[in-house]
Amino acid sequence: CLFGSDPVYSPGHFSAEEKNAVFGILNVLQPVLATSDFSHADLEAKVRNEAQKMGQKLTPLAQALRFAMTGGRVSPGLFDMLEAQGKETVLRRLKKAIEALA
């Protein structure tokens, strides 16, 4: 599901608390990633910076992004995957995942 059709998002993957956290994280990351040049280094720096600003480890942000990109909790290397998918696909999937969690 990394390439090709966008995933079907099932918010049932998460408890209510997790769902709210993922929703919040994706809403924070969407505008940040929109400013990225989509190189691996820039994507990683931006996401790590947001994790630090949020007072969180990278893991919750990475899990939220994995859900947005794949519809699940598992993916190849996160920043490699984001770079390979490209800005248009990533931003479209972020938008769809946010809508599914709303």
Side-chain angles (χ1 to χ4, degrees):
C1 205
L2 291 180
F3 303 103
S5 299
D6 290 344
V8 174
Y9 299 102
S10 174
H13 284 290
F14 304 107
S15 68
E17 183 178 309
E18 289 174 320
K19 180 182 162 192
N20 290 335
V22 170
F23 179 79
I25 289 167
L26 294 180
N27 273 298
V28 167
L29 290 177
Q30 186 178 30
V32 170
L33 293 180
T35 68
S36 177
D37 68 10
F38 266 72
S39 67
H40 182 286
D42 189 56
L43 289 161
E44 184 171 0
K46 286 187 182 311
V47 174
R48 287 187 183 279
N49 183 52
E50 286 306 311
Q52 185 177 20
K53 285 176 19 182
M54 296 169 82
Q56 296 206 24
K57 294 186 179 204
L58 179 63
T59 303
L61 282 74
Q63 288 295 74
L65 283 170
R66 283 187 176 95
F67 172 73
M69 296 307 109
T70 68
R73 294 178 177 242
V74 179
S75 75
L78 178 64
F79 303 109
D80 292 329
M81 175 185 61
L82 295 173
E83 181 181 37
Q85 285 183 317
K87 190 173 200 170
E88 182 182 326
T89 298
V90 168
L91 295 179
R92 182 183 67 244
R93 289 183 179 193
L94 277 169
K95 182 177 184 251
K96 288 183 175 185
I98 289 167
E99 289 169 354
L101 292 167

